[in-house]
Amino acid sequence: MVEKTPTVYDVAEMAGVSIATVSRYFRNPAAVRETTRERVREVVRELGYVPSGSARGLAARRTGTIGVCFPSFDDVAQIDARRLEGGPPVQVRVDADAHVDTGSDLYIAEVVRGTEIEAWRHGFAVMIAVPRGAAAHNVVEGLAGRVDGLVTLARAIDADQLAHIARRLPVVVVAGPREGDVYDHVTANNHGGMVALTDHLIDDHRLTRLEFVGGPEDSPDAQTRFEGFTEAMLLAGLGVPERPIARCDFTRAGGRETGRRLLAEGLLDDLDGLVCANDQSALGVLDELTAAGVRVPQDLAVTGFDGIEASNVATPRLTTVRQPMVELGRLAVAQVLHRLNEPMTEPTTRVLPVEVLLRDSCGPHAGDVA
Amino acid sequence: MVEKTPTVYDVAEMAGVSIATVSRYFRNPAAVRETTRERVREVVRELGYVPSGSARGLAARRTGTIGVCFPSFDDVAQIDARRLEGGPPVQVRVDADAHVDTGSDLYIAEVVRGTEIEAWRHGFAVMIAVPRGAAAHNVVEGLAGRVDGLVTLARAIDADQLAHIARRLPVVVVAGPREGDVYDHVTANNHGGMVALTDHLIDDHRLTRLEFVGGPEDSPDAQTRFEGFTEAMLLAGLGVPERPIARCDFTRAGGRETGRRLLAEGLLDDLDGLVCANDQSALGVLDELTAAGVRVPQDLAVTGFDGIEASNVATPRLTTVRQPMVELGRLAVAQVLHRLNEPMTEPTTRVLPVEVLLRDSCGPHAGDVA
DNA sequence: TTGTAAGCGTTATCAA
DNA sequence: TTGATAACGCTTACAA
């Protein structure tokens, strides 16, 4: 950003054409004579001209970008404190314990990736924003003002503000159940997946004493999965726990903490299996069980939910339910785009299929299923 | 987007103030009398007013957003083909083989996460775009026109175009070496990390017959790591391979393919260890070695690079070099913001420290190191 | 195929 | 503390 920023006027003048022609050169090159086009191209190169997205958006009344909002699980204060540099260029250390420090949410990363892919397919860009901290409202408002439509994960934006911006642009909620709202929803079949998984444990492995490790209290996904679990237990005539035997925050560190607690309190002694609300927490539980000498699946079955890559690398490989995370993101964007054209149709709810992946952490498979 | 979009004019009229006051209400509320503020607030709520980011950006000559560009490793054609819906709501299947289908690049996800965090800290939004397919140029141009500065991963944007847009806004390149360019660079200490890791294999484990599994030909990171490896070998007086024993594309699937090939061709028979250019490929190699009955680390040591979570879940746990991925993203944004204020200073190169994590895949540790 | 000109919805300067 | 008003850089009829 060294030189004065050139505008259409500069290009037009230098190329000896009108600004309309310069605009056409970018928007609809075919409508410009070959020789003219060449002249404009030359000037654009020479001047280093880049069209202003703001001016474009203002004039055309569309930004060509989709907003994506998701909740943050990182500790803001901690982020603030962590310094960016310093220390020796290379540090060597024995990483004896499988410590965990990544707060990265693979699930969100995949959904975001899906939104980017679908947006790209339609020539849209993606703008991401995380409403955390005191300025959360401003973050969302800024985002809303800069995009043509918004995809938001459940719990990222408070209901009032969401209602406010939904008056101005299409909003699609990912992974949240409809709660009396009027937005389009895209979600995975959490309920069905968990029922099928629990059925498998009960029917094929003959496990009867099962408990559920829950997620955050306010996670609709975690809640739905718990309901799927209890429904399957109920239908099998088994005792149904009123609540999860424990809750954790969907992170692996949280899972380990939970694992330690359950072990310490002897809560696993009469158990056949632990059904966890997501993969990360299941992996954490697994860490602790293994460390404590509990054999999985022989002594205790453990299952996850999501189908992140780590679940497929763990020992034992984790039986889980794969959510189509990329597809969730893609479909959400597709729906935003659809509603941009068809504003007045009824709000929709799309439920994407899931896949129960039977691997090693629930016991040996009698044979192929389904 | 049902109602007519209200503007400052509508708000101003309805609140009985000028548009300037409405603008102030948003930009600098303290400069508006409390009672006036209340009146505007009321109207904004009532009208469902959301300020236009485009108009804002145009008038203020800054967008308040940072662009982030990264290369795509997904197969575009495949993306296009994959359908979004259909199939049974739940499918149950025995996932006997540790198949791999996720093309997600954890490294990129973490870097992007870092950019978002740092941008957020400064009140900026992040716009992401992937220049893939035929319209790659347009994607980048669109991005460049809509942001105040740009962070790009190496290889995402072609040199000509990068030079073009760098005339208009600050550009910071992540994970690419300076190649005669004038951009700011942020990178991890690939070289030092690999030297330290290789030294460890040689000095502490007494391994002498080592080979390197490379990454994509055009990856500067992969190249730098290979050089670190050969340098360490050379200094130890060991035979230095001219080139990697194999190359793969940084994916786990690619690693498995490589593993199979090496096994089939008997290339591992006289080897002590395999140093891989990244974690994903190391995990893939590990998959195949384990399947073939090769014991790691007893028969053969295997190491990775990156420090993604899966490397810490694998059996054996993968010895690797952890890159500060989030910090790379954060620092890149910080640098863009810095240059926005200080346009005329010399281009900088920041090299972030790495951490060699000694785990199980290189053999038992004699004791604590460093 | 090209040009003219009227917006698009803000911010910012200056004056009141 | 508030108001007029001139940019800001483009798109898009409409006319030529």
Side-chain angles (χ1 to χ4, degrees), chain B residues 146-360:
Chain B
R146 288 186 272 218
V147 301
D148 294 331
L150 188 65
V151 170
T152 176
L153 295 212
R155 298 185 294 155
I157 304 180
D158 78 61
D160 282 351
Q161 191 173 25
L162 197 56
H164 184 256
I165 64 184
R167 291 176 63 180
R168 299 278 80 87
L169 39 80
V171 168
V172 174
V173 178
V174 174
R178 181 176 305 289
E179 290 173 316
D181 60 62
V182 296
Y183 316 118
D184 292 318
H185 284 249
V186 176
T187 173
N189 190 356
N190 287 298
H191 186 87
M194 190 51 95
V195 169
L197 174 62
T198 310
D199 280 349
H200 170 73
L201 297 179
I202 298 172
D203 298 343
D204 299 337
H205 291 292
R206 301 290 165 200
L207 307 183
T208 56
R209 297 167 304 177
L210 302 173
E211 290 284 353
F212 191 85
V213 174
E217 295 264 10
D218 62 339
S219 162
D221 276 0
Q223 179 57 27
T224 306
R225 291 172 199 166
F226 179 58
E227 288 164 11
F229 168 76
T230 55
E231 181 179 313
M233 292 288 279
L234 194 65
L235 286 178
L238 297 174
V240 176
E242 289 238 341
R243 71 195 70 244
I245 193 173
R247 282 188 183 281
C248 79
D249 58 1
F250 269 173
T251 68
R252 189 161 159 216
R256 301 186 66 175
E257 202 182 301
T258 300
R260 274 194 299 276
R261 235 200 52 224
L262 293 177
L263 282 164
E265 299 180 10
L267 259 26
L268 304 177
D269 298 345
D270 303 310
L271 231 50
D272 295 330
L274 224 35
V275 175
C276 302
N278 79 337
D279 284 346
Q280 307 255 39
S281 48
L283 289 173
V285 168
L286 212 51
D287 287 337
E288 294 298 323
L289 293 183
T290 303
V294 177
R295 295 169 309 160
V296 176
Q298 296 89 335
D299 301 335
L300 189 69
V302 172
T303 64
F305 204 110
D306 278 352
I308 63 174
E309 181 169 8
S311 73
N312 194 21
V313 178
T315 303
R317 292 173 59 238
L318 195 63
T319 286
T320 189
V321 179
R322 199 187 83 80
Q323 291 200 71
M325 300 172 274
V326 170
E327 282 70 23
L328 281 172
R330 288 190 59 192
L331 198 57
V333 167
Q335 182 60 34
V336 164
L337 263 19
H338 173 72
R339 192 157 287 281
L340 232 23
N341 300 322
E342 301 275 355
M344 302 307 280
T345 50
E346 285 292 295
T348 65
T349 298
R350 318 281 281 272
V351 179
L352 291 187
V354 298
E355 228 179 353
V356 179
L357 300 179
L358 305 181
R359 302 203 282 221
D360 305 329

Side-chain angles (χ1 to χ4, degrees), chain A residues 127 137-147 161, chain B residues 50-51 53 56 125:
Chain A
M127 188 149 168
H137 258 70
N138 297 329
V139 169
V140 174
E141 180 178 285
L143 183 66
R146 288 186 273 219
V147 301
Q161 191 173 25
Chain B
V50 176
R56 216 124 117 159

